[in-house]
Amino acid sequence: MTEHHGYTPQKDALARRMKRIEGQVRGIARMIDEDKYCIDILTQVSAATAALHAVSINLLEEHIAHCVVDAAGSGEDAAREKIEEASAAIARLIKS
Amino acid sequence: MTEHHGYTPQKDALARRMKRIEGQVRGIARMIDEDKYCIDILTQVSAATAALHAVSINLLEEHIAHCVVDAAGSGEDAAREKIEEASAAIARLIKS
Amino acid sequence: MTEHHGYTPQKDALARRMKRIEGQVRGIARMIDEDKYCIDILTQVSAATAALHAVSINLLEEHIAHCVVDAAGSGEDAAREKIEEASAAIARLIKS
Amino acid sequence: MTEHHGYTPQKDALARRMKRIEGQVRGIARMIDEDKYCIDILTQVSAATAALHAVSINLLEEHIAHCVVDAAGSGEDAAREKIEEASAAIARLIKS
């Protein structure tokens, strides 16, 4: 039996999105290999970063909706721990 | 003959960095597939985003050092155009 | 009677932090007025932005710990609405 | 005699923008004092951060157009130093 997480119901959609991001990253490598113009490469890097950010916002939303809300049901300390962990993850995202 | 860009002397190093980022993205997809904990996945997403940002700062630096500085040599209008283009790329990065 | 929010217990600390950020912003204006070096001004702008981000992470943490967790207690729909609202706020922060 | 920088011709416009940002920051402090809803405060924090980012992109653009381009005129080493300094400033902005 595998563990269940907030994002579990969306696993297939997330897998497809990660596949697409992998393709974007490979496309950037190819642009560098083919000596494309720097600014065009940067535009693709921004697109890949934005796609990764969108995935993380999705993961966070489901994490709060499930893990945090569930923890809240089992007591204030459990909830506080989960919320601090989520805040630290948000801070890392903003700074990345 | 291929075109020469600011990043050309670093093409091999950039290719290796992009390979590593591709591996990070594939690793995130695997973590989702293996039902890893959301926060651990988010940590890896932040790491991949930070690595993409580092590549773009590198590309920008070489772009300014070569394309912008060269354009400055061929006149003020040429330089201004390149600088506005670079600024727009920086703005996209900050917002991505 | 005033409304109670997640951040209410920290109002004094938040007020002091906002005062300090206001001082940072005024300091940047003064640096521009006194013709300081661009890069030194940019360093202070980054510091002010980081301070604003720190305030928002704090507000978000308290929002999740109180408003979202409370909403979770009054039903799944109420919780989902609050969580989507929080996610949208996180997305705006990342893009700002 | 005061020093001349890239942003000098725009000093008045920048002063007005910083005044407006100062007002935004003071507005956020007031919202906290008046117990406004967390998400509405976060929206204003994102707006202030975006305004600070816009100022920094402007400062960077003028810095590159003047200080960096001028340094390029006085030799490769001088230019490289200025460009590394600008890159470090961009990196700080992205991470702030």
Side-chain angles (χ1 to χ4, degrees):
Chain A
M1 202 205 88
T2 59
E3 238 188 299
H4 192 89
H5 293 293
Y7 63 82
T8 307
Q10 304 180 20
K11 269 181 70 168
D12 290 351
L14 279 171
R16 275 194 300 277
R17 285 167 78 178
M18 292 309 302
K19 227 29 227 152
R20 214 173 311 135
I21 294 171
E22 197 191 316
Q24 286 179 292
V25 171
R26 221 175 304 127
I28 295 164
R30 202 176 321 117
M31 289 177 87
I32 292 171
D33 184 53
E34 295 174 353
D35 301 284
K36 297 293 187 212
Y37 182 46
C38 337
I39 296 291
D40 294 335
I41 301 177
L42 283 169
T43 302
Q44 294 310 313
V45 174
S46 291
T49 310
L52 278 174
H53 274 149
V55 165
S56 34
I57 289 162
N58 206 243
L59 285 169
L60 259 174
E61 182 168 340
E62 295 312 316
H63 179 67
I64 296 170
H66 299 276
C67 314
V68 172
V69 163
D70 286 359
S74 39
E76 215 174 296
D77 284 356
R80 184 45 88 170
E81 198 186 313
K82 286 287 171 202
I83 290 161
E84 279 173 12
E85 195 186 46
S87 288
I90 296 169
R92 275 194 301 274
L93 272 178
I94 288 181
K95 282 186 193 127
S96 72
Chain B
M1 203 206 87
T2 59
E3 239 190 297
H4 192 90
H5 293 294
Y7 63 81
T8 308
Q10 305 179 19
K11 270 182 68 168
D12 290 350
L14 279 171
R16 276 193 300 277
R17 285 166 79 177
M18 291 309 302
K19 249 317 162 269
R20 214 173 310 135
I21 295 172
E22 197 192 316
Q24 286 179 292
V25 171
R26 220 174 306 125
I28 295 164
R30 202 175 321 117
M31 289 177 87
I32 291 170
D33 184 54
E34 295 174 354
D35 301 283
K36 297 293 186 213
Y37 182 46
C38 338
I39 296 291
D40 295 334
I41 301 176
L42 283 168
T43 302
Q44 294 309 313
V45 174
S46 292
T49 311
L52 279 174
H53 274 149
V55 165
S56 34
I57 289 162
N58 207 243
L59 285 170
L60 260 173
E61 183 169 339
E62 296 311 318
H63 179 67
I64 296 170
H66 299 275
C67 313
V68 172
V69 163
D70 287 358
S74 39
E76 216 174 296
D77 284 357
R80 182 49 85 172
E81 200 187 311
K82 285 287 170 202
I83 290 161
E84 277 172 14
E85 195 187 45
S87 288
I90 296 170
R92 276 195 299 274
L93 273 178
I94 289 181
K95 281 186 194 128
S96 72
Chain C
M1 201 206 88
T2 60
E3 237 189 299
H4 193 90
H5 293 295
Y7 62 81
T8 307
Q10 304 179 20
K11 270 182 71 167
D12 291 349
L14 279 172
R16 274 193 302 276
R17 285 167 78 177
M18 291 310 301
K19 250 312 144 290
R20 213 172 311 135
I21 295 171
E22 196 191 317
Q24 286 180 292
V25 171
R26 222 176 302 126
I28 295 164
R30 203 177 319 118
M31 289 177 87
I32 292 170
D33 184 54
E34 295 173 353
D35 302 284
K36 297 295 187 212
Y37 182 46
C38 337
I39 297 290
D40 294 335
I41 301 175
L42 283 168
T43 302
Q44 294 310 312
V45 174
S46 292
T49 312
L52 279 173
H53 274 150
V55 165
S56 34
I57 289 162
N58 205 241
L59 285 169
L60 259 174
E61 183 168 340
E62 295 313 316
H63 180 66
I64 297 170
H66 298 276
C67 313
V68 172
V69 163
D70 286 0
S74 40
E76 215 173 298
D77 283 357
R80 182 48 87 171
E81 199 186 313
K82 285 286 172 203
I83 290 161
E84 278 173 14
E85 195 186 46
S87 288
I90 296 169
R92 275 195 300 273
L93 272 179
I94 288 182
K95 282 187 193 126
S96 70
Chain D
M1 202 206 86
T2 60
E3 238 190 298
H4 192 89
H5 293 294
Y7 62 82
T8 307
Q10 305 179 21
K11 270 182 69 168
D12 290 351
L14 279 171
R16 276 194 300 277
R17 285 166 79 178
M18 291 310 303
K19 249 318 165 266
R20 214 172 311 135
I21 295 171
E22 197 191 317
Q24 285 180 291
V25 171
R26 219 174 306 124
I28 296 164
R30 202 176 322 115
M31 289 177 87
I32 292 171
D33 184 54
E34 294 173 354
D35 301 285
K36 296 294 187 212
Y37 182 46
C38 337
I39 296 291
D40 294 334
I41 301 176
L42 283 168
T43 301
Q44 294 311 312
V45 174
S46 291
T49 311
L52 279 174
H53 275 149
V55 165
S56 32
I57 289 161
N58 206 242
L59 285 170
L60 259 173
E61 183 168 340
E62 295 311 318
H63 179 68
I64 296 170
H66 299 275
C67 313
V68 172
V69 163
D70 287 358
S74 39
E76 215 174 297
D77 283 359
R80 182 48 86 171
E81 199 186 312
K82 284 288 172 202
I83 291 161
E84 278 172 15
E85 195 187 46
S87 288
I90 297 170
R92 276 195 298 275
L93 272 178
I94 289 181
K95 281 185 193 127
S96 71

